[in-house]
Amino acid sequence: MVLMTQAPATAKGTRRQHDREIVALAVPAFGALVAEPLFVMADSAIVGHLGTAQLAGLGIASALLTTAVSIFVFLAYATTAAVARRVGAGDLQAAIRQGMDGIWLALLLGAAVIATVLPTAPDLVELFGASDTAAPYATTYLRISALGIPAMLVVLAATGVLRGLQDTRTPLYVAVAGFVANAALNAGLVYGADLGIAGSAWGTVIAQWGMAAVYLTVVVRGARRHGASLRPDASGIRASAQAGVPLLVRTLSLRAILMIATAVAARLGDADIAAHQIILSLWSLLAFALDAIAIAIAGQAIIGRYLGADDAEGARGACRRMVEWGIAVGVVLGILVVVTRPVFLPLFTSDSVVKDAALPALVIVALSQPISGIVFVLDGVLMGAGDGPYLAWAMVVTLAVFTPVALLVPTLGGGLTALWGAMTLMMTVRMLTLWLRARSGRWIVTGATR
């Protein structure tokens, strides 16, 4: 696959330089990126043994919660790219000031989300088509976990600041501590305190606020060290929000795809939605593994820094090398999914019906991983370049292709396997639209700001 119209000869030394940069940032970033899907997987493993109805309820609630947080993921994406550009230009004070604006915006948005979710939780669960047995569990989990949304938005924004500063180790340490705390609190509250699914939700909320507190401490210390103001600046917050609008459109379209998939699975029955929740947890984990090369590292921290330093050739070379990494990692992850299927599923459920529904769909997920590797790398490259408007347009096109195909699954048959076939189609469309943009070279705009 040719990614650029210009293909300069890449010496081994240059490739090795890119490899060192990718590995130095990607390895710790992977640990930080997988925190959220690991939270969901830990919750799924613990709640799954309470019963199929509880796991189905968690599947619906977690889809809604992930949507509520992920639609504002531009807090991390846009902040990382903007901070990295200023780091490349040598202005650390402006870089951190940009990050503080993002954190204040995160707090404001988090408060608004809580005010929306708490009173509408039963209606949102019903909208997803939850069964009578799963709906009460979904509502309970959703209402409690919503209290952790502001913390997760702060984590997104603060993580963006640190990644832009080329620091992925601190997010790794915080993520590991948060995951351990979440798992321990969940197990203790669900089984030790006998709180059931509510205990799982409270454990996650406590862990999320703990992570936010640590991030705020680190960022505030950095701001004071470099003389950056901590006060909210209305114009800066407004500018951060405006810069995030195209990425918000892009993310809303992606979340709509995942919500449609969950809603279709819910209408297939409790066993299918439970199996879908397990597969979606794994798919998210695999996506974040690939994101370590793409969005958090290549697309933002590395690409943003090259463009900020007026190094267009370095950005091109990094893009090419990271696509190679994305494909290779995708192949490896696909093989691991196939090999570990018999071990993976019993961790989440003992229901043979749920296992039978999940097994063939997992094969589809495995085969799609090389495609996902290309998608996440190019998605991240364009984000790091600040090419948000194109990303928004491309995802709207993808949503338009996916929606009718997914909605036909219950009518035409094929069950969960057909639904995940539609998900693979969605990723293929994304790959084609992103490849066309990467090949054009129009994303390359150098300077401290785009």
Side-chain angles (χ1 to χ4, degrees):
M1 179 182 292
V2 179
L3 291 172
M4 309 297 166
T5 53
Q6 181 180 2
T10 305
K12 286 185 178 180
T14 303
R15 288 201 303 271
R16 288 173 182 169
Q17 177 186 349
H18 290 315
D19 288 346
R20 284 194 297 269
E21 283 187 313
I22 293 168
V23 171
L25 292 173
V27 172
F30 169 71
L33 281 168
V34 299
E36 185 178 343
L38 283 176
F39 272 31
V40 176
M41 291 181 74
D43 290 0
S44 299
I46 292 170
V47 171
H49 292 285
L50 294 174
T52 299
Q54 287 90 333
L55 183 58
L58 174 64
I60 294 169
S62 64
L64 286 163
L65 286 163
T66 303
T67 298
V69 173
S70 296
I71 59 176
F72 301 117
V73 76
F74 69 83
L75 290 166
Y77 296 168
T79 301
T80 300
V83 170
R85 275 184 177 266
R86 285 165 174 77
V87 169
D91 192 347
L92 288 177
Q93 185 181 73
I96 296 177
R97 176 65 259 179
Q98 179 86 29
M100 287 304 305
D101 291 336
I103 291 174
W104 281 111
L105 179 61
L107 288 170
L108 293 174
L109 292 173
V113 172
I114 285 183
T116 302
V117 171
L118 288 181
T120 61
D123 297 326
L124 292 172
V125 168
E126 182 179 357
L127 181 64
F128 259 66
S131 67
D132 292 339
T133 55
Y137 297 113
T139 301
T140 296
Y141 191 92
L142 179 59
R143 277 183 164 157
I144 296 172
S145 291
L147 300 176
I149 289 175
M152 289 310 295
L153 297 189
V154 168
V155 166
L156 287 175
T159 301
V161 177
L162 296 180
R163 289 174 184 162
L165 294 170
Q166 317 295 295
D167 175 9
T168 57
R169 292 187 180 274
T170 299
L172 170 62
Y173 300 146
V174 177
V176 170
F179 171 71
V180 172
N182 177 68
L185 287 166
N186 270 254
L189 294 175
V190 170
Y191 296 112
D194 198 25
L195 294 179
I197 197 170
S200 177
W202 280 116
T204 300
V205 168
I206 294 170
Q208 288 168 341
W209 276 106
M211 291 173 67
V214 174
Y215 272 118
L216 286 173
T217 300
V218 172
V219 173
V220 166
R221 285 177 179 173
R224 288 174 174 167
R225 187 183 310 120
H226 294 286
S229 174
L230 298 174
R231 295 180 180 179
D233 177 68
S235 61
I237 294 172
R238 186 165 53 251
S240 294
Q242 290 171 348
V245 169
L247 292 180
L248 177 61
V249 173
R250 172 253 182 208
T251 303
L252 282 173
S253 300
L254 177 58
R255 294 313 308 177
I257 288 170
L258 299 180
M259 290 178 70
I260 289 169
T262 300
V264 170
R267 283 163 174 77
L268 296 174
D270 278 2
D272 283 297
I273 183 60
H276 178 74
Q277 168 61 16
I278 294 170
I279 297 170
L280 189 60
S281 297
L282 175 63
W283 188 80
S284 298
L285 179 63
L286 296 172
F288 277 82
L290 292 166
D291 272 358
I293 298 173
I295 292 175
I297 302 305
Q300 297 188 24
I302 293 178
I303 295 296
R305 192 188 74 239
Y306 273 124
L307 295 178
D310 294 323
D311 188 354
E313 192 57 40
R316 287 191 186 94
C319 176
R320 282 191 297 271
R321 189 56 176 162
M322 289 180 290
V323 168
E324 295 171 2
W325 273 71
I327 295 171
V329 173
V331 170
V332 172
L333 291 178
I335 294 172
L336 286 175
V337 171
V338 172
V339 171
T340 60
R341 281 185 308 158
V343 179
F344 175 77
L345 287 173
L347 295 176
F348 293 88
T349 182
S350 56
D351 190 326
S352 60
V353 178
V354 175
K355 291 179 184 177
D356 290 342
L359 277 171
L362 281 173
V363 175
I364 302 296
V365 171
L367 293 174
S368 69
Q369 288 311 296
I371 296 173
S372 297
I374 297 172
V375 167
F376 290 126
V377 167
L378 295 182
D379 201 39
V381 166
L382 297 186
M383 283 187 186
D387 202 9
Y390 182 86
L391 289 171
W393 173 87
M395 192 59 73
V396 169
V397 170
T398 303
L399 173 62
V401 173
F402 171 80
T403 300
V405 176
L407 293 179
L408 284 173
V409 168
T411 303
L412 299 180
L416 199 62
T417 303
L419 177 59
W420 278 92
M423 291 286 286
T424 300
L425 171 66
M426 177 269 293
M427 294 300 290
T428 302
V429 173
R430 288 185 69 188
M431 180 183 70
L432 292 174
T433 56
L434 296 174
W435 170 68
L436 288 172
R437 186 64 167 182
R439 189 184 182 201
S440 74
R442 295 176 184 172
W443 55 276
I444 300 174
V445 178
T446 60
T449 58
R450 183 178 173 86

